[in-house]
Amino acid sequence: MSFPPNSPTFVSKNEFLEYLDTYVFHFDVNPLYQRVVESAFFDNVDGKWHIKAMNVERNIVENYVVRFLVVATGENSEGFVPRIEGLNEFGGKIMHSIEYGNGKSFKKKDVLVVGCGNSGMEIAYDLANWGAQTSIVARSSDDGAIFDENGMPKKRSSCHWKGEKGIYCVGFASAGLFGISSDAKNISEDINRILMHVDNKMNEISSSSN
């Protein structure tokens, strides 16, 4: 499901949350929260994935048996601050975007936002609204032709999202929300294709027996 046609290129946090709520309602998705996966293994006997998860609200272990397993923790589940020469000697405040609340405490201060993705652009905009002297540094595309004009890797596997035995992964392509969306679409289409193939086989068997 696409974003509304009037959505900006960089949607805000609230707009993204609204999109997720709309998606859940539209497709009647019933996500289970407050679960921590403890183990997952593929059983060659029944051809399915067996997952053990802790329900932290009820403090009980739940078991799931599924044909397809999608790992969707993504590449941004934890904040990553790269090693930059001289960063340790910097006397000001350093924080990852995951720690950012609002720009109130940065009013009239010089702030450098590293990165111009969704989070970077939204934070820079918020800082400016709070009166911070905001600058943005973005990765240059002049890097030996490794990245394209949008700062994304040119070379990547076309099926990086698909593993063996029905396991998939979403959001590990270093391509931001667009990459996550593309992975999710590819996975859903692949699972649907497999299920359609199984249904056709079952119909053929049923027709033969009749």
Side-chain angles (χ1 to χ4, degrees), residues 19 33 38 42 77 105 135 141 187:
Y19 168 80
Y33 300 103
E38 296 186 339
F42 183 80
S77 58
S105 62
S135 300
S141 60
I187 291 170

Side-chain angles (χ1 to χ4, degrees), residues 1-4 15-31 180-181 184-185 187-189:
M1 186 175 76
S2 302
F3 279 93
E15 288 172 319
F16 184 63
L17 291 176
E18 183 179 352
Y19 168 80
L20 293 179
D21 289 338
T22 303
Y23 187 98
V24 167
F25 177 79
H26 179 80
F27 291 103
D28 193 25
V29 179
N30 297 299
I180 294 172
S181 174
K185 182 178 179 181
I187 291 170
S188 62
E189 290 177 348

